[in-house]
Structures are given as C-alpha cells and as structure tokens.
Amino acid sequence: MKKRLILATMAAFAVSGAGAQQPSGKVLVAYFSHSGNTREVARQISEATGGDLFEIVPATPYPTEYRAVVDQGKKEIEAGVRPALKNPVGDLSQYDVIFVGSPCWWATIAPPVATFLTSCDLAGKTVVPFMTHEGSGMGHSEADIRRLCPRSTVPDGLAVRGSAVHNSKNEVGRWVRARLKNGF
C-alpha cells in the first residue's frame, strides 16, 4: 500500500510538472529597479518560481534624469556607498533561495542592492543574481555578490538586455527551469 502511494505521488508530480517547476524551499525575488526593466524580469522570475517579490527601495530616490543617475551611481560605487533603504526586508529565515536583481551599473550591482546584501543574514542561502543591462551583461557583479555573501551559495546568474525585457519571458522561464532542474 505504501509503495503504491509513493508511486502515485511520483506519477502525479511527473504529469503536473510540479516537481520540476518549484524549488524545495521558499523563494524570494528581491530587486532594485530604476527604470522598470529589472522589475519586469523580477516579476517573470516570481511567476516562474512562485516566489515572493520584494522591491529594494533606497530611502532617497535616485534622480530621474539619465546623466544625473549615471554620475551618482558611479560616485557611489567608487566610494563603496551603501545607501539607506526605505523598506528593510525583515526576517529571511523562511527563504532558502533568494533571487537578487539589479541593473548593471558600472559593471556591477547598484548600491541599494549592495546595501540589501550586506544588511541581511544570507548565510546558508542560495543567492541567485540576475541583471538588466544595455550591453555590459553581468559585468563583475557575480564576483562582487560572492564577495558580499561569503557564506552563501552564489551560482552564475542571468543577464537580460533591458530593451528586451518585455520579450524575455521564455528565456527567463528556461533559465529558471534549468536552475531548478540542476539544483542551482
């Protein structure tokens, strides 16, 4: 009887695909988005994983004018600034996997994302990076995240061109499914 129940459960997961679609632990998709591109990719990852969304918001907003935000971002990255966040995330103990998204600024994560990563206890968690960009790809963000999260597992991430985010659902879905299948 027990063997039949196990086989029936396995068959149900195989038919529904649920076993291949959802990670074994709870997922958080945390992101900072200045223009909305990273928010869109975060939404797609949340949809593919069933994960909770959390927007990383700096206490002081960045300028909306492109040149001003580029200049401010560069100065903050060069100085190692960790801007205060408007909305601390709180207790992350319920999450096993945390997707972390950022626009690629000067080949790395935006300073609010660095604040998020250094202000949370991410020890023992899987931190999966994703970036939006307009030609720089991941830059050195993966290495930077590994440095900021030395007690976390940080697999290779996903880079999505900002101008293509609204057509990236299939690419993002394939990447998420491959991560889940391979255990990140």
Side-chain angles (χ1 to χ4, degrees):
M1 177 69 171
K2 189 175 184 179
K3 187 175 180 180
R4 271 190 253 157
L5 180 60
I6 291 170
L7 290 173
T9 303
M10 288 172 54
F13 276 102
V15 170
S16 71
Q21 298 292 325
Q22 299 298 322
S24 60
K26 196 154 183 183
V27 172
L28 177 68
V29 182
Y31 68 93
F32 165 73
S33 186
H34 183 261
S35 68
N37 290 335
T38 309
R39 177 181 297 110
E40 175 59 22
V41 176
R43 187 195 64 71
Q44 293 171 11
I45 292 171
S46 174
E47 186 178 293
T49 62
D52 297 333
L53 277 172
F54 176 77
E55 184 173 10
I56 300 167
V57 179
T60 303
Y62 282 92
T64 55
E65 196 274 321
Y66 177 77
R67 186 82 249 152
V69 76
V70 166
D71 291 343
Q72 182 177 336
K74 182 178 184 183
K75 287 176 188 171
E76 288 180 354
I77 289 166
E78 288 174 345
V81 170
R82 301 285 184 264
L85 300 181
K86 182 178 181 177
N87 55 343
V89 68
D91 181 23
L92 294 176
S93 63
Q94 65 182 314
Y95 299 102
D96 297 321
V97 177
I98 301 172
F99 288 84
V100 176
S102 176
C104 193
W105 284 4
W106 299 100
T108 192
I109 55 176
V113 177
T115 300
F116 171 82
L117 293 171
T118 57
S119 65
C120 299
D121 180 8
L122 300 173
K125 302 201 181 292
T126 300
V127 177
V128 187
F130 63 98
M131 303 289 283
T132 55
H133 67 94
E134 284 304 334
S136 59
M138 293 297 287
H140 48 78
S141 61
E142 293 159 321
D144 293 340
I145 292 171
R146 288 181 183 112
R147 184 179 44 77
L148 294 171
C149 303
R151 299 180 331 181
S152 302
T153 300
V154 182
D156 292 342
L158 173 69
V160 178
R161 188 173 287 274
S163 59
V165 298
H166 294 289
N167 297 317
S168 64
K169 184 176 180 176
N170 290 336
E171 173 191 357
V172 170
R174 278 191 301 276
W175 177 74
V176 168
R177 283 189 299 279
R179 289 281 168 250
L180 295 174
K181 180 181 176 185
N182 297 323
F184 294 94

